[in-house]
Amino acid sequence: EAQVTQNPRYLITVTGKKLTVTCSQNMNHEYMSWYRQDPGLGLRQIYYSMNVEVTDKGDVPEGYKVSRKEKRNFPLILESPSPNQTSLYFCASRLDSEQYFGPGTRLTVT
Amino acid sequence: DAKTTQPNSMESNEEEPVHLPCNHSTISGTDYIHWYRQLPSQGPEYVIHGLTSNVNNRMASLAIAEDRKSSTLILHRATLRDAAVYYCILPEYNFNKFYFGSGTKLNVKP
């Protein structure tokens, strides 16, 4: 089944403890992207990648890092999480014009 | 950000057509119009997109005004499963950057 998977789905962590949210797609898509969703602010793009080793900033990249070492994976790295990064995170991949989204990762930073 | 304006919410009766409007008065000649929807507790999903001509697919129809300053997503027979937030988006940079905005929350009544 064609899909985008994210792990973990839920995470509670403490301020400053580095974490990685993984994203994987099995559709051989070149483009992948990360979003965060917050009440009243909607979905905002964090980073995107047009292909392996090619990444670029979205609208809210501060406090996040990404890497794209292979086509199927696009991890989101929070080096020093802070409470304002508590959010619902979505990973997506795209073929042509249609984006496919993962199920989301709910992150709480205390 | 290429801007779109949508009503905050709309209501429809089950099995009736729904017309979801979107204004994009600053659209450029090369901007595609995309629609996504987000069902409760899920990631967004692609609905339809178009440039100038009206478009149809299995999910919906997209009617684009002649001057392209507005468009309408048409659900021909709303079902309870169509209750979602619908986003009208003008992707930028060759579909690499997506600004979702706040969308229209559609409520479908039985």
Side-chain angles (χ1 to χ4, degrees):
Chain A
E1 179 192 353
Q3 59 183 349
V4 177
T5 56
Q6 298 179 224
N7 283 294
R9 294 289 312 280
Y10 302 90
L11 179 61
I12 300 175
T13 189
V14 296
T15 299
K17 185 177 181 182
K18 181 180 178 179
L19 66 92
T20 299
V21 183
T22 65
C23 173
S24 184
Q25 50 96 3
N26 62 1
M27 297 169 278
N28 203 36
H29 291 169
E30 292 183 348
Y31 175 95
M32 297 184 74
S33 184
W34 275 103
Y35 297 83
R36 61 177 290 174
Q37 185 169 33
D38 304 289
L41 296 175
L43 278 144
R44 294 177 292 169
Q45 195 170 20
I46 303 171
Y47 270 95
Y48 63 93
S49 169
M50 290 177 283
N51 211 329
V52 174
E53 302 291 3
V54 181
T55 62
D56 209 346
K57 297 177 181 178
D59 293 322
V60 288
E62 296 79 17
Y64 303 95
K65 287 176 58 177
V66 292
S67 70
R68 187 88 184 276
K69 292 182 168 46
E70 48 191 340
K71 189 181 276 191
R72 65 180 293 125
N73 295 324
F74 190 43
L76 181 69
I77 303 155
L78 285 72
E79 296 268 3
S80 183
S82 62
N84 64 12
Q85 293 179 298
T86 292
S87 186
L88 179 59
Y89 291 86
F90 289 101
C91 180
S93 69
R94 176 169 65 79
L95 175 66
D96 298 328
S97 55
E98 182 175 345
Q99 284 198 88
Y100 296 80
F101 283 80
T105 294
R106 187 166 292 281
L107 172 66
T108 301
V109 183
T110 62
Chain B
D1 301 340
K3 293 297 186 187
T4 62
T5 305
Q6 301 176 252
N8 288 334
S9 63
M10 292 183 64
E11 200 164 74
S12 170
N13 293 317
E14 196 176 12
E15 297 191 4
E16 290 185 356
V18 181
H19 290 231
L20 296 163
C22 180
N23 288 318
H24 27 77
S25 58
T26 60
I27 192 170
S28 74
T30 56
D31 283 336
Y32 278 77
I33 302 156
H34 286 229
W35 284 82
Y36 281 74
R37 72 179 185 180
Q38 187 172 19
L39 303 172
S41 302
Q42 294 189 26
E45 65 176 341
Y46 168 84
V47 178
I48 200 167
H49 79 284
L51 182 62
T52 56
S53 305
N54 294 344
V55 185
N56 301 293
N57 67 20
R58 62 176 176 80
M59 288 182 69
S61 295
L62 176 60
I64 302 172
E66 199 167 327
D67 63 4
R68 298 203 340 116
K69 293 183 185 298
S70 65
S71 60
T72 302
L73 180 70
I74 303 165
L75 307 179
H76 296 286
R77 288 184 66 211
T79 68
L80 297 178
R81 194 190 174 277
D82 292 321
V85 178
Y86 287 79
Y87 299 96
C88 171
I89 303 162
L90 306 182
E92 299 177 2
Y93 299 105
N94 292 323
F95 298 177
N96 289 324
K97 296 195 77 172
F98 280 72
Y99 177 73
F100 271 76
S102 55
T104 297
K105 185 172 184 178
L106 176 66
N107 181 38
V108 179
K109 297 185 296 183

